[in-house]
């Protein structure tokens, strides 16, 4: 991004009939971001009897989270992908044909176990245990049955891909021809980077599933636990005293935000921690497994660093005032530094646990030191993100005239 534009004539609102106008810049960015968010969001199966409007409200809340921190959504999607991949391996190691799509479907609450006296969602690990006990058959959990419940909109995805590709192509063309792009466009590019990563993580996850598959077993919960083998010492007690899942001996749904963080926060209600709440649905905020997943870790690290680097790449973009430019530079460098700090903390804790030879069973998803450091990082991050979200719109009041020039596509055509 050349700084040569800083001395150009500056313009306020520009109409678009005869050239690229202010509304074209705003509309192109907002449309790209909206399409990316709405089509990539793949939430878990809602609780039974949830209305379409209630589900839409939930999706809108997650869309706001994605707008504010797209890398947070990327991390959540990555955690679900890692859990699904481990479940697939568990099935394959047990000689059972199982796909990533089936793993996602079960882990998102797509399968509910109906007993004589109870009903609740089960994960892939729960299903694996029940299949090995010869209590559940895979006949009703085929890929075809899952496809019937998934509402993937191919047209919406195609439109999103076309719009995103066109937007990125225009930005690249403007850079090649040394035509300014705005901070709003730069922010959109950063957003698209994270969204692509999230889409990759959720590619196999069924979308907008409302109706789960019901698996019936003709016994009580206590009877089921009695058949589970020696690891259930007291089935009657386990049927009453479970905390996160009736089958938590096979999968306690950890780590997740509610268990490892939320229960210590004052805003968490007693109902959210109750057994009734756990029977309704699986929460969307699973955390990555305690066993280190190096493929996932490196993928998330590269994407988050690239996300921060895109903002830093706007170092020489022209701003209405020198104060705004300096503030932008400080904020973007700090944002990138916070990403580096997060991964440094993560690597430091992992190295410490290795040296201490901490077993997986003794690991904490969120250690006290990680909680303290990440709290500081998040507080600073939130303040910076607020500025980075607001400044691109404020900056539209005065842009260099060259920012309204259109790309000369004919220059890319070879002339003989």
């Amino acid at each position: 991004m050349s700084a040569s534009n800083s001395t150009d004539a500056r313009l306020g609102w520009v109409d678009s009939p005869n050239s690229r106008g202010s509304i074209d810049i705003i509309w192109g960015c907002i449309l790209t971001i909206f399409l990316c968010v709405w089509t990539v969001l793949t939430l878990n199966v809602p609780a039974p009897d949830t209305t379409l409007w209630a589900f839409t409200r939930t999706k809108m809340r997650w869309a706001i989270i994605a707008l504010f921190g797209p890398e947070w959504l990327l991390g959540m999607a990555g955690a679900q992908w890692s859990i699904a991949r481990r479940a697939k391996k568990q099935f394959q190691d047990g000689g059972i044909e199982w796909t990533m799509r089936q793993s996602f479907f079960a882990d998102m609450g797509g399968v509910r176990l109906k007993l004589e006296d109870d009903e609740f969602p089960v994960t892939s690990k729960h299903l694996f245990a029940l299949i090995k006990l010869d209590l559940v058959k895979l006949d009703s959990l085929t890929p075809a049955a899952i496809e019937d419940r998934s509402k993937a909109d191919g047209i919406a995805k195609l439109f999103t891909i076309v719009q995103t590709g066109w937007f990125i192509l225009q930005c690249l063309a403007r850079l090649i021809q040394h035509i300014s792009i705005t901070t709003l466009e730069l922010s959109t590019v950063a957003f698209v980077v994270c969204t692509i990563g999230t889409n990759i993580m959720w590619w196999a996850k069924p979308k907008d599933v409302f109706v789960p598959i019901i698996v019936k077993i003709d016994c009580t919960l206590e009877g089921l636990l009695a058949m589970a083998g020696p690891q259930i010492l007291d089935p009657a007690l386990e049927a009453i005293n479970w905390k996160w899942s009736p089958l938590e001996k096979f999968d306690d749904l950890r780590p997740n935000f509610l268990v490892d963080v939320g229960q210590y926060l004052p805003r968490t209600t007693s109902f959210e921690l109750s057994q009734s709440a756990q029977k309704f649905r699986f929460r969307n905020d699973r955390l990555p497994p305690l066993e280190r997943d190096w493929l996932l870790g490196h993928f998330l690290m590269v994407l988050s660093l690239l996300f921060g680097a895109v903002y830093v790449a706007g170092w020489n973009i022209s701003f209405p005032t020198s104060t705004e430019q300096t503030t932008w530079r400080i904020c973007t460098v700090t944002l990138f530094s916070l990403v580096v700090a997060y991964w440094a903390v993560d690597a430091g804790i992992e190295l410490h646990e290795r040296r201490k030879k901490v077993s997986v069973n003794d690991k904490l998803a969120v250690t006290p030191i990680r909680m303290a450091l990440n709290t500081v990082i998040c507080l600073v991050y939130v303040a910076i993100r607020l500025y980075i979200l607001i400044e691109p719109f404020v900056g539209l009041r005065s842009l260099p005239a060259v920012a309204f020039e259109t790309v000369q596509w004919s220059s890319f055509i070879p002339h003989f």
Side-chain angles (χ1 to χ4, degrees), residues 9-10 45 51 57 72 103 107 131 253 300 305 339 369 383 389:
R10 307 191 69 86
V45 179
T51 64
R57 288 202 312 270
W72 296 347
S103 291
D107 292 334
I131 290 170
L253 307 180
L300 294 181
L305 288 172
V339 175
I369 188 171
L389 285 172

Side-chain angles (χ1 to χ4, degrees), residues 278-297:
Q278 315 315 316
K279 291 180 182 180
F280 281 151
R281 63 182 179 88
F282 288 146
R283 294 171 60 90
N284 289 288
D285 49 12
R286 291 291 294 268
L287 300 175
L290 295 176
E291 303 91 340
R292 180 66 59 169
D293 190 327
W294 289 105
L295 178 60
L296 173 65

Side-chain angles (χ1 to χ4, degrees), residues 40 62 65-66 69-81 193-202 288 296 299-305 307 343:
V40 78
W62 278 103
I65 292 174
E71 64 274 50
W72 296 347
L73 190 69
L74 172 63
M76 185 181 78
Q80 295 178 6
W81 175 86
V193 167
C194 265
T195 304
I196 290 173
T198 304
N199 216 351
I200 292 172
M201 293 290 96
W202 270 341
L296 173 65
F299 180 80
L300 294 181
M301 181 176 66
V302 170
L303 262 293
S304 58
L305 288 172
F307 173 76
W343 289 109

Side-chain angles (χ1 to χ4, degrees), residues 359-395:
S359 67
V360 171
N361 293 332
D362 294 329
K363 283 187 176 183
L364 295 174
V366 184
T367 61
I369 188 171
R370 187 192 293 270
M371 175 73 82
L373 292 174
N374 285 349
T375 297
V376 174
I377 290 173
C378 285
L379 289 175
V380 178
Y381 176 91
V382 167
I384 290 174
R385 281 294 292 170
L386 281 173
Y387 174 80
I388 290 178
L389 285 172
I390 295 171
E391 170 58 35
F393 290 96
V394 174

Side-chain angles (χ1 to χ4, degrees), residues 23 53 151 171 212 237 282 295 300 305 308 334 368 385 410:
I23 193 64
W53 172 237
K151 298 178 179 62
C171 290
L237 187 63
F282 288 146
L295 178 60
L300 294 181
L305 288 172
T334 304
R385 281 294 292 170
S410 59

Side-chain angles (χ1 to χ4, degrees), residues 49-180:
D49 301 325
T50 299
T51 64
L52 178 60
W53 172 237
F55 179 75
T56 302
R57 288 202 312 270
T58 300
K59 195 168 181 179
M60 289 172 66
R61 285 197 297 270
W62 278 103
I64 293 172
I65 292 174
L67 287 170
F68 190 83
E71 64 274 50
W72 296 347
L73 190 69
L74 172 63
M76 185 181 78
Q80 295 178 6
W81 175 86
S82 182
I83 292 168
R85 190 166 73 108
R86 289 174 185 274
K88 177 186 175 183
K89 186 177 186 305
Q90 181 184 35
F91 273 81
Q92 291 179 338
D93 290 345
I96 302 173
E97 187 176 346
W98 193 255
T99 65
M100 282 289 289
R101 197 161 183 82
Q102 287 170 305
S103 291
F104 268 122
F105 184 76
D107 292 334
M108 68 188 289
V111 181
R112 293 184 67 86
L113 184 63
K114 186 176 181 61
L115 305 175
E116 292 177 355
D117 61 344
D118 215 341
E119 182 179 330
F120 49 87
V122 289
T123 66
S124 293
K125 288 184 178 181
H126 294 153
L127 283 173
F128 179 79
L130 295 174
I131 290 170
K132 283 299 183 180
L133 292 170
D134 203 26
L135 296 173
V136 170
K137 303 296 182 183
L138 285 178
D139 300 346
S140 59
L141 303 176
T142 62
I146 294 174
E147 290 302 323
D148 285 342
R149 286 166 169 76
S150 178
K151 298 178 179 62
D153 190 338
I155 296 177
K157 280 190 173 183
L158 178 61
F159 186 62
T160 301
I161 291 172
V162 171
Q163 171 62 26
T164 302
W166 174 241
F167 182 84
I168 296 296
L169 183 62
Q170 288 185 87
C171 290
L172 290 174
R174 296 185 72 81
L175 292 177
I176 292 172
Q177 296 187 359
H178 304 289
I179 307 174
S180 289

